[in-house]
Every structure is written in structure tokens, then in C-alpha cells.
Amino acid sequence: MSIIGQDKLLKQLNTYTLDTFPRTAMFVGDYGSGKHSLCKMLSEKFNVPLIDISDNINLETLDNICLSTNVNMYLIDASMINEKEQNIILKFLEEPLKNAYIVLLVTNKNRLLPTVVNRCKIFELAKYTKETLSSFIEINEDNKYILDIANTPGEILNLKDSKLSDTVALADKIINCIHKATFANTLTLLDKVSFRARKNAVVENDISKIDAFLLTKIIIRKLISNCINNCDPWLFDCYNLTLELSKKLDNSLQNLGIDQKYLFAQYLSEMWTHSRKYNNGN
């Protein structure tokens, strides 16, 4: 398996055998950086099955693992588990079994309980350079924004399959036309946007709509470009509001109590109000 851009980490992982690899490990890296691919590589290297138990973090699952006589590598997407589930796996981490390798995947280890983090061998994935990312795509007029907003190979693959031109058009509409719209019409933009699925939450992607996270990134990218060429205070205000939305949306993936659609509705409302201040409704 070829994994580009992680040479230092691959060299480190290749020094391990099945007997020396830590029973509890954690891979830390951005969304789409290759954490799952590294786990698959290790399972093939060690010739042990890789079993994803991210959706079944409960005492019954752990009991079944304890009773198993087979050697397995268990993968847990720790970016998607709540505090209760972290406490459930804590005993698993404190007293690792001889027949089990537990590998946690996370984008930000600071979002996990310190007791969970401290019981894992940490492997950090390196940040990707734009030069490395350029090897994953051939840039043309239709996808010229991808390298500007993507930070990982996974993000590039998602962007290649996305409705990028429609997303750019909607971003332009929000920036340039929101001051002309009525408040009611502004909120109808929500019908064009989808919100990312979260574990145990009723928020699901709709491929016929535009991804809220991608739209937010495109708006930020366009505003940065516009601010460089234009000192209009509206653009700076718009940039700050959109940057704050981006942070809130990222946080919502770990906090099931945060409603992504409400965040976006609040953002559109603030954008509409601020646009009136600078454009006097014209």
C-alpha cells in the first residue's frame, strides 16, 4: 500500500513487529490525512484482522473481545465518541489484552479525556504540503479552488466528487447579493445546504445539496482574495463572521448538542443584518 507524504511516520512504523507494536495506540491527524489507511497497512503487515468498533462502544462489545481467542486489531474513530464511551473504553486501555491491539483515530487529541490519551502511544501524522497534495489532482478551471482549501488527500478526493461549481456560485451569491435579498429569502438558502452526519445524531448528508463545511471554506477563500484587493469594511466583517461559523461547525462534529443547521441560520441572519449596515439595503 502506497501512502504519500508520511515518510517519517512510515519509517517509524516499519520498525515494529507484531510483538513490539503497542497494545494501545493513537493516530492523530486531520480529516482525510490517511489514518485509516495506516491502520489497514499495519493490519496487513502484521497479518491480523482490522475490526472497526467505533459504532459499538459498549460493555457487551468489550466483553466479546475479552472472550475472543483470536488476535485482532480494533479500530476506534475517537473523533466521533462521546465522554461516556471514552469512559467505557478506559478500562480496555488500562488493562490491554494479549490478543487485542486497540488503535484510536482522532483529529485533535485535546478533545479526549487526558486519561484516555495518556494510555496510548501517540503517532502524529505530518501536515501535507501543497506540493505533495498537487500529486493527487490535475488542476483545471473547474476545480482551481481545491488546492486552496484542501489540506489532506481525503479532502481532495471529496472535493473532486463535490458540486464545486454550484458551491462557488452560492458563495458568490451570499457575499455579493445578500444585501439585496429580503430576510425571508435569505433563510431559504438553508434549503440548498446539507449538514454532515454525526454519530448518534439525526444529521445526515444530502448529496443533492451543497455541503455546509465546503461552502464555508469557499466563502472564506473568496473573502481573503477580495480583502487583498478591496478595503471594503463589509468584506472584513463578512470574513470574521464566516471564520467564526467555520470554527463552530468543526466543533459541532464532536458535540452532539450543537445544531449545525441552527448555526448556519444564525450566520445567514448575522450576514444579512451586517450587509444592511454597510449597504443601506440597496
Side-chain angles (χ1 to χ4, degrees), residues 1 12 17 67 97 101 122 129 172 197 205 210 224 259 261:
M1 180 183 296
Q12 180 183 6
T17 64
L67 294 173
L97 304 170
Y101 294 84
I122 308 296
T129 65
D172 282 331
N205 294 357
I210 291 169
I224 290 174
D259 187 325
K261 190 171 183 178

Side-chain angles (χ1 to χ4, degrees), residues 217-230:
K217 284 190 174 185
I218 291 287
I219 294 174
I220 290 174
R221 170 64 183 82
K222 280 186 160 291
L223 286 169
I224 290 174
S225 177
N226 290 347
C227 286
I228 291 174
N229 302 313
N230 190 335

Side-chain angles (χ1 to χ4, degrees), residues 30-254:
D30 294 334
Y31 169 79
S33 58
K35 300 185 294 294
H36 285 83
S37 296
L38 285 170
C39 289
K40 185 177 180 181
M41 179 204 76
L42 286 173
S43 73
E44 293 174 353
K45 170 182 168 66
F46 298 147
N47 195 27
V48 295
L50 179 64
I51 302 174
D52 190 336
I53 60 171
S54 303
D55 293 328
N56 296 292
I57 306 298
N58 52 59
L59 295 176
E60 181 181 359
T61 297
L62 299 191
D63 286 342
N64 289 335
I65 292 174
C66 291
L67 294 173
S68 174
T69 57
N70 299 320
V71 178
N72 296 309
M73 180 175 289
Y74 297 96
L75 184 153
I76 300 174
D77 187 344
S79 296
M80 302 294 286
I81 64 175
N82 57 37
E83 186 171 331
K84 178 181 178 181
E85 290 169 322
Q86 290 181 55
N87 281 312
I88 289 176
I89 66 172
L90 188 55
K91 183 174 176 58
F92 204 20
L93 299 174
E94 289 174 335
E95 302 174 7
L97 304 170
K98 291 183 178 180
N99 65 328
Y101 294 84
I102 305 105
V103 182
L104 278 64
L105 311 182
V106 67
T107 54
N108 183 352
K109 63 178 182 291
N110 293 328
R111 287 175 173 167
L112 297 178
L113 296 173
T115 46
V116 170
V117 176
N118 292 338
R119 284 164 175 77
C120 296
K121 168 67 176 176
I122 308 296
F123 297 100
E124 301 251 6
L125 279 79
K127 298 290 185 181
Y128 286 87
T129 65
K130 293 302 179 183
E131 181 181 3
T132 299
L133 291 175
S134 65
S135 65
F136 291 91
I137 186 173
E138 182 177 344
I139 297 297
N140 55 45
E141 185 63 26
D142 294 329
N143 62 22
K144 62 183 179 181
Y145 286 101
I146 288 183
L147 278 183
D148 289 331
I149 60 179
N151 296 309
T152 65
E155 286 188 340
I156 284 182
L157 293 175
N158 284 342
L159 289 169
K160 285 170 65 176
D161 297 333
S162 69
K163 302 169 66 176
L164 194 58
S165 59
D166 291 343
T167 307
V168 171
L170 184 55
D172 282 331
K173 187 174 184 179
I174 291 174
I175 296 171
N176 300 318
C177 302
I178 197 168
H179 70 282
K180 301 176 183 178
T182 65
F183 183 69
N185 283 341
T186 297
L187 291 184
T188 62
L189 294 177
L190 286 170
D191 297 332
K192 299 182 179 182
V193 180
S194 70
F195 302 93
R196 291 187 183 175
R198 296 172 297 173
K199 186 180 177 186
N200 301 326
V202 187
V203 179
E204 297 183 356
N205 294 357
D206 183 343
I207 60 173
S208 68
K209 297 183 178 182
I210 291 169
D211 178 69
F213 291 74
L214 173 57
L215 175 60
T216 304
K217 284 190 174 185
I218 291 287
I219 294 174
I220 290 174
R221 170 64 183 82
K222 280 186 160 291
L223 286 169
I224 290 174
S225 177
N226 290 347
C227 286
I228 291 174
N229 302 313
N230 190 335
C231 293
D232 188 342
W234 152 245
L235 294 176
F236 288 99
D237 213 354
C238 185
Y239 170 78
N240 288 327
L241 288 172
T242 312
L243 190 63
E244 185 63 24
L245 171 66
S246 179
K247 293 176 182 177
K248 290 178 179 178
L249 286 175
D250 286 342
N251 188 45
S252 73
L253 292 175
Q254 276 71 43

